[in-house]
Each structure stands twice: as C-alpha cells, then as structure tokens.
Amino acid sequence: MDERAAQEVRTLLVHLGTAMVATGQPINEVEDELAEVALALGHPDAQIAAGPTGVTLALASGAPATYEGVTGSLRLDQSAQVRGIRRDLLRGGVDGPTALGLLLALRSQPPRYPVWLANLGWVSTAVGIALILQPGWRNVALAGVASVVVVGLFRLAQRFRLLSTLLPVVAAFVVACLVFAAADLGLVEGPLRTLLPPLAVLLPGALIVTAMSELAAGDMIAGSSRLTFGLVQVLLFTLGVVSASRLFDLPAEALRNVRVAELGWWAAPVGLVLICLGIGLLESPPVRLLPWILLVLVLAFGAQALGQHYSGPVLGSFLGAVAASTGSYLVEAFVPDLPRLVVFLPSFWLLVPGSLGVLSATQLALDPGGATATVVGVVTVVSALALGLLVGTAIAQSARGALRRARRRRPHGQLQLDHREPVDTSDTSH
C-alpha cells in the first residue's frame, strides 16, 4: 500500500476512534473495537493508543502514525450513527471515503428536536429522577421548578465561556439556595435529595464509573485522568451546595440523607417513563431506540431495588450495573442494528453515582465527624458499580458467544435460508 492510501486509512481510523471516545466508551473497548475495524480493512498489526482526549494510530509497528484529538462529547443520536458506521465498515457496507465523510459531518448535525423541546426533556428527566430519588409531592414539584433554572443557566453557559467554566458551582449554588429556602420555610423535607434531580444531567456519574472500570481493566492513564476530572467536578458541585447551606439557618437534622416516601408504588414506574421520554427529547436518540432504553432502565432499576431491599446500597449498585451492562449487550446481540452504548448510558442517570458523590461529599463538609464512614461508603458503592459493569460485560460476552455458536450450528436448510436474507446479521458487531 502506498503512503497516500495508508494515510487515508489512518485518517479514517483515527476519526472513528475519536468519535467512539466521544460517545463515552471505555478506552479498552475503543482500542479493541477499533482494532477489529483495522483488521477488516486489511491491517491486522495496527498499533492503537487511545485516551480520553485523543487517539494515535499506526497501521504497523514502526510505521508512520496519525493523531486526532477528541473535541467534546456526542449526543445519543450521534453515538448511534458512530456505531452504525463502525458496523458498516466491518461488514463492507460502506467505503472509506464515505465513512470518513459521515464521521466529519457528525459534529454539524443539529439535534432532532428544537431547543424548547430539549429543555422540556431536561425537566421531564429531573421530575422522573425525583419520583425515584425523593418521591414527595412538594419535593418533585420543587425539583421540576429548579430544573427550569438549571436549564436556563446551561443555555447561558453555551454563550458565555466564564459561566461555562463555573457552571457546576453556580448551578449547584442556585438550586441549593432555592431548595434550602423552601426547607427553611418548612415546605419540604429532605432537601439534600431534593436538589440532586435537577443537577443529575450535569453530574459526572458515567464518567466516574467509566474511570473505575478502566482502572480495573488496566488502563491506568485513561482511568486515572477521568477519575481525577470527575472528582473535581463533584467537588465543584459540592462547593456550590455547601456555600448555599451557609446562608440558611437549617438544623443539622434537616441536612441529613433523608428519603421522603409520600407517594405510592406508582412513583417509580412513572419516573422511569419520564426519564426515558426526557432522554428522548434531550439527547435525540432515534425513536425506535426508546423502548429498548426503557427496557434497560427497568432492568437496572429492578436489580438495584432488589439488591437494596435484601442487603443495601452496595449490592444494589452492583446488581443494577450488572443488569444494565448485561441487558444492553443482549439487546444488541438479539437486535444487531441497535447500538449497545446508546441504550446503556442513560442507566447511569438512574444509578446516580454522581448524585451519591455530591450527597456524600456535602455531608462530609457539613459533618466532618463522619468523614471515614462517608468516604468509605462512596468508594464502596462506586467500586461496586464498576465491578458490576465488568461482571455484566463478561456475562454478556459469554452469552453472545454462545448465541453466535448456536447460529452457526443451525441446520443446513436454515443456513441456506439465511443466505437469502438481504442483510447478513451472523456477524454482530459490538
């Protein structure tokens, strides 16, 4: 292969790699799946070094390398397209120049819905999380009002760079002031849990758990850098909440981790539906994916609730992560054209590791006497989430391998029928 053709392949692969990183995939998965594409393109010895901020790639050891930086994250609809492009490259359904053009056009694609509908999706998500996290009539209503404030701050931050940098502190401070004022007037109980749902979309929950799974998989640089960034974001949110708490004369009991359970059994199912609808409006995934997103949310919530009922938050977090990871893999195995990552990522808003971090860090700042128990509790739950992801992935990959072997063992007549199908789904990509 001449240098020009090699350069074109490297350019395609690094752009695909950076797009995969921007979807939020763990780095170890990005490198493995990008190597599969390189192999399909005729380069089995490709050398890949991916990180949270960029991808370096050479087609062979000692060969020229190409670097491409990651510029921000992608919405779920864009993530679905990245998975589709990768799948088509594996199957030979698209040529290199076409695939590169599609990747380069991703960033300029507008959201599926207008801004006002996306804002409504943010409010719907916050109300849905409140119905699960703090199911009280006044708490849910206040969370909805506070989410409108957060949306306004987020839109302003898109225009002003300074506010964008300080958004975690400012949003947490304003929401906390609103919630603490209501608690000071005796309108709501459990203010700490009430202020988390409006901030849930901004919290780095997926980032922290992805970092832990990368560290467990041996990606030390990527995992430690993501973890450091995520913890800094949690501390910024905590700074805003603690600053607001100093303005109000609330008793220490009012700032404890108290769950208000005024609503009945129906609160959780309605909350899950609202979260799914909110994600659909906010992240613009294809409408056909919403039932699958809801399915994975239900699996994660059911497993988490079961574990919490029998043991506590550690087992609940572990089982919830196992269910979310396994469910998303199996959905992709049975419906190969569905992108696993798109139906999986929303479950992090439900497992709320970012909310847990802010809640625990706030309690630590307000009550240093319980420092040891608080820190150990956060680390244990986040570690349980990361371990659950690894276990769920291992289970799902084993099940998917068994499914592939079963497909290969079909009777000869069935195989002949499969060959007449317009699309070959015997090779299901990740």
Side-chain angles (χ1 to χ4, degrees):
M1 177 180 292
D2 57 37
E3 177 55 31
R4 180 177 179 181
Q7 176 63 41
E8 290 176 353
V9 175
R10 292 199 305 269
T11 301
L12 168 63
L13 290 175
V14 295
H15 276 91
L16 176 61
T18 54
M20 292 167 66
V21 172
T23 64
Q25 269 190 282
I27 294 303
N28 56 300
E29 293 184 11
V30 171
E31 292 179 342
D32 291 343
E33 295 184 2
L34 196 58
E36 290 182 6
V37 178
L39 176 61
L41 296 178
H43 301 280
D45 300 320
Q47 305 294 302
I48 303 167
T53 58
V55 176
T56 302
L57 182 141
L59 298 181
S61 179
T66 299
Y67 173 82
E68 184 69 27
V70 178
T71 55
S73 59
L74 295 176
R75 298 187 307 269
L76 291 183
D77 62 322
Q78 296 167 321
S79 300
Q81 293 182 58
V82 172
R83 301 295 292 179
I85 294 169
R86 178 188 173 276
R87 182 190 64 241
D88 291 341
L89 284 170
L90 285 173
R91 296 177 177 177
V94 65
D95 58 25
T98 302
L100 180 59
L102 293 173
L103 290 169
L104 293 176
L106 275 178
R107 294 286 181 181
S108 60
Q109 289 184 359
R112 185 183 304 271
Y113 305 106
V115 173
W116 70 271
L117 269 179
N119 295 342
L120 184 61
W122 194 310
V123 176
S124 175
T125 302
V127 171
I129 294 174
L131 283 170
I132 295 173
L133 195 64
Q134 192 68 306
W137 283 115
R138 294 179 178 179
N139 304 83
V140 172
L142 185 57
V145 173
S147 67
V148 175
V149 177
V150 175
V151 171
L153 291 172
F154 177 76
R155 298 304 178 189
L156 285 176
Q158 292 178 320
R159 298 185 180 184
F160 302 101
R161 185 176 182 84
L162 178 60
L163 181 57
S164 177
T165 303
L166 299 176
L167 182 61
V169 177
V170 174
F173 178 79
V174 173
V175 170
C177 284
L178 181 63
V179 173
F180 289 156
D184 195 29
L185 294 174
L187 299 178
V188 295
E189 297 179 5
L192 282 184
R193 277 179 169 261
T194 305
L195 63 86
L196 292 175
L199 301 171
V201 176
L202 297 177
L203 294 175
L207 184 71
I208 292 174
V209 178
T210 298
M212 294 293 289
S213 65
E214 287 172 339
L215 288 172
D219 285 307
M220 295 175 288
I221 296 176
S224 58
S225 59
R226 283 193 206 265
L227 184 60
T228 301
F229 179 76
L231 292 177
V232 169
Q233 293 294 301
V234 167
L235 291 177
L236 290 175
F237 281 105
T238 304
L239 177 61
V241 175
V242 173
S243 299
S245 69
R246 304 302 183 190
L247 301 179
F248 297 89
D249 188 22
L250 292 174
E253 292 75 16
L255 297 176
R256 297 189 183 279
N257 183 7
V258 177
R259 186 175 188 269
V260 177
E262 295 177 356
L263 307 182
W265 62 267
W266 56 267
V270 172
L272 291 173
V273 172
L274 288 177
I275 292 172
C276 184
L277 292 176
I279 290 170
L281 294 175
L282 185 60
E283 291 287 323
S284 302
V287 176
R288 66 186 178 88
L289 296 184
L290 291 181
W292 300 103
I293 291 175
L294 181 59
L295 173 62
V296 175
L297 285 173
V298 171
L299 290 175
F301 175 78
Q304 184 183 37
L306 184 66
Q308 288 179 342
H309 176 74
Y310 284 104
S311 178
V314 175
L315 181 61
S317 298
F318 173 78
L319 293 181
V322 169
S325 182
T326 305
S328 59
Y329 265 104
L330 294 181
V331 163
E332 187 182 51
F334 283 99
V335 191
D337 289 341
L338 293 182
R340 175 187 63 83
L341 199 68
V342 174
V343 299
F344 167 70
L345 285 178
S347 61
F348 278 112
W349 291 351
L350 187 62
L351 298 173
V352 291
S355 298
L356 176 68
V358 172
L359 182 66
S360 300
T362 301
Q363 289 181 308
L364 176 60
L366 296 176
D367 183 18
T372 302
T374 300
V375 172
V376 170
V378 175
V379 173
T380 303
V381 170
V382 174
S383 299
L385 284 167
L387 181 60
L389 292 183
L390 294 176
V391 172
T393 299
I395 294 173
Q397 288 178 343
S398 298
R400 185 172 57 185
L403 180 62
R404 285 179 175 176
R405 290 190 294 271
R407 286 175 175 174
R408 294 192 187 104
R409 294 171 183 168
R410 287 175 180 173
H412 181 71
Q414 181 64 45
L415 286 175
Q416 292 297 323
L417 178 62
D418 287 346
H419 285 310
R420 292 194 296 269
E421 293 291 336
V423 178
D424 179 14
T425 58
S426 61
D427 182 14
T428 55
S429 60
H430 289 282

